[in-house]
Amino acid sequence: MNENHKCCAGPEWAEYLHTAVLPSVTRGVDLGRDLIEVGPGPGASTEWLHDRVQRLVAIELDPHAAAALTIRFAGTNVEVVNEDATALSFPDGTFDSAGCFTMLHHLPTAGRQNRLLAEVLRVLRPGGVLIGSDSLHSVELHHFHEGDTYNPIEPATLLIRMQALGYEEITLSVGHAMTFAAHKPR
Ligand SMILES: C[S@@+](CC[C@H](N)C(=O)[O-])C[C@H]1O[C@@H](n2cnc3c(N)ncnc32)[C@H](O)[C@@H]1O
């Protein structure tokens, strides 16, 4: 990620996720015991989520971010894995829930975004839930991502894509950003 993303490690970003995003997207959602988080970055979402499950597996593509996250969460219930979330090494049905925050727009093509969503669906147990959020397209964010991948998803297409991939009971909320919850069929 480019230098602008250093703010994702700061307290303001964590405060935003912890107050404006995570409480609402998890309301009424059973996260179960085992949660997989894809694209945790510096760990603001991980920090909030790991207290709410017994085990959190964080899948981070960037080796430096993964190493920093490993140090940050040493001795906790967080296991950091440095791999590509579009090709997960876990068997089908391993997790009760999945989290995907502010990262889908970092996948360069719709095909890779779909591949990630399909992989998450595969590793969820039947009845498991994916929760997540992403920013909406803006010129400001386009400039923010200069020299970096910026492939924002139009919310209506995300809904259709998740449905086509096999998710059900999909809820999508669009405001300042978009949040979503989608289930694997039982
Ligand atoms: C903008 S950060 C979001 C961090 C955090 N979820 C948050 O909301 O603060 C996006 C993260 O996704 C990671 N990422 C991008 N593509 C990925 C992939 N295919 N598999 C796993 N992680 C990926 C990036 O390395 C980066 O750390």
Side-chain angles (χ1 to χ4, degrees), residues 7-164:
C7 65
C8 293
E12 291 88 3
W13 179 251
E15 172 77 4
Y16 164 69
L17 283 178
H18 297 178
T19 60
V21 175
L22 287 155
S24 62
V25 82
T26 54
R27 192 166 300 131
V29 168
D30 180 6
L31 296 176
R33 278 173 53 100
D34 299 306
L35 182 147
I36 182 169
E37 182 183 8
V38 294
S45 38
T46 317
E47 179 69 42
W48 194 91
L49 288 165
H50 87 97
D51 282 336
R52 289 162 173 85
V53 290
Q54 291 192 22
R55 172 181 176 233
L56 189 156
V57 175
I59 308 293
E60 176 51 55
L61 181 64
D62 180 285
H64 303 293
L69 207 60
T70 301
I71 293 168
R72 177 173 177 179
F73 289 101
T76 73
N77 62 346
V78 176
E79 176 191 334
V80 180
V81 179
N82 177 211
E83 69 179 17
D84 185 344
T86 66
L88 293 168
S89 58
F90 293 84
D92 299 1
T94 304
F95 299 96
D96 301 304
S97 55
C100 171
F101 295 91
T102 339
M103 68 81 67
L104 283 173
H105 68 267
H106 278 280
L107 294 162
T109 63
R112 283 183 66 79
Q113 292 168 339
N114 288 349
R115 183 72 211 141
L116 181 143
L117 292 167
E119 274 293 87
V120 167
L121 183 65
R122 181 182 69 74
V123 300
L124 280 175
R125 64 160 170 77
V129 62
L130 164 66
I131 53 168
S133 67
D134 209 346
S135 46
L136 301 175
H137 174 262
S138 73
V139 174
E140 207 182 333
L141 279 176
H142 178 76
H143 292 308
F144 181 91
H145 287 83
E146 193 176 354
D148 201 339
T149 303
Y150 181 54
N151 185 25
I153 302 182
E154 204 276 309
T157 70
L158 178 61
L159 181 66
I160 293 164
R161 283 155 62 176
M162 287 198 292
Q163 195 179 24

